[in-house]
Amino acid sequence: QGEQLHKVPLHIRTIPGIYHHRARKCSLLSSKNDSCRSSRDPSSPRSRHSSRRSPSCSPHSSFSQEGGGNVIRVLMLGASGVGKSSLCSQFLTSEHKKSKLKENVEQPLQKEISVSLNDEETRVVFVDYHHGEMSVETQMSKHSPEAYVVVMAVDDKASLDQAERILAYLRMSGIMEQKSVILVANKTDLVRNRVIKPVEGKNIAVHYNIKYIETSPGINHNVDELLVGVLTQIRLRRKRGEQRKNSATKVKSFLGKILNFNADTMKSCTNFHTL
């Protein structure tokens, strides 16, 4: 039937700070008094991070057209009901943390947000289709994403199997050598129903040499960290691509991999500040 146009108020989300290397490597550098404030109510506290948010949801937006500035596309993949759309919605606004999320109804949208991180503004387009509505290959060729977020639900073992199949396909396609791939264990607030342990997700991330994070839109857990992590990974990969034009950098990178072969890979898979 085609995609439907969904409109929401437009505003800009600003996330100051860099990754903190001390206590939790995938957390933003912020104080306990930092807050995330709504653009409609500047005085209302939202979360640990100060931000201004400006989402726009549409299947074909001017943001994604050439000449629209620094635009990146992120493909959301995973089984049905894992909460992909809830994550996207939480990227756009914090209002969802006070309302009941309907995660079984996932809309095939392109959700766009303008994010200012470390004084650099980027327009991010999150592509989120119903699982099975369009093949991964077709989504890849249609949208040419710079990052892939593979989502599973911690209370659904079958979603882990589906995530592994997607990751295997991305590796076979050579995507992991070129683009950023992040494995997300979602719905961590469902503690009693949890069947996927953190170590299982980390082991998969280490196996595929990708990043791993656990999230929960329901309690706004690690949602900002995931958004910033996606941007950081893309920027790091772009920077490495530019550096690799220098042959000396290639040798240094190769030697670095050898010297760090026995490093704590389980910890590095959750550190979004490194590739």
Side-chain angles (χ1 to χ4, degrees), residues 97-159:
K97 71 180 181 179
K98 291 186 177 181
S99 61
K100 185 176 181 180
L101 298 174
K102 298 180 180 180
E103 301 191 5
N104 291 328
V105 182
E106 299 190 2
Q107 298 293 335
L109 301 173
Q110 291 187 43
K111 301 180 181 180
E112 304 183 0
I113 180 171
S114 182
V115 180
S116 179
L117 175 64
N118 297 334
D119 298 323
E120 179 180 348
E121 185 171 335
T122 305
R123 287 173 173 175
V124 187
V125 181
F126 291 96
V127 183
D128 174 25
Y129 288 96
H130 286 290
H131 173 66
E133 179 179 359
M134 182 182 296
S135 69
V136 176
E137 180 181 9
T138 302
Q139 292 182 56
M140 290 164 52
S141 61
K142 180 178 181 180
H143 300 285
S144 301
E146 284 199 58
Y148 296 77
V149 176
V150 182
V151 185
M152 60 183 180
V154 299
D155 64 334
D156 183 2
K157 199 73 172 181
S159 70

Side-chain angles (χ1 to χ4, degrees), residues 200-219:
E200 294 181 80
K202 291 180 180 179
N203 283 335
I204 294 174
V206 170
H207 175 72
Y208 286 100
N209 192 27
I210 60 176
K211 297 302 179 181
Y212 173 79
I213 189 171
E214 299 199 344
T215 60
S216 171
I219 58 175

Side-chain angles (χ1 to χ4, degrees), residues 78-80 131 136 150 157-167:
S80 298
H131 173 66
V136 176
V150 182
K157 199 73 172 181
S159 70
L160 171 62
D161 298 333
Q162 179 62 31
E164 287 195 86
R165 285 192 289 270
I166 293 173
L167 293 173

Side-chain angles (χ1 to χ4, degrees), residues 6 13 67 111 119 124-125 134 139-140 150 173 182 188 190 197 234 272:
H6 294 252
R13 182 177 189 184
K111 301 180 181 180
D119 298 323
V124 187
V125 181
M134 182 182 296
Q139 292 182 56
M140 290 164 52
V150 182
S173 303
I182 299 170
T188 55
L190 303 179
K197 297 180 180 180
I234 291 174
F272 283 75

Side-chain angles (χ1 to χ4, degrees), residues 11 17-18 43 76 80 90 103 136 138 171 173 178 216 224 261 271-272:
H11 49 282
I18 59 176
S43 64
M76 305 291 291
S80 298
Q90 192 72 354
E103 301 191 5
V136 176
T138 302
R171 170 183 278 182
S173 303
Q178 308 168 20
S216 171
D224 281 351
F261 182 77
N271 182 7
F272 283 75

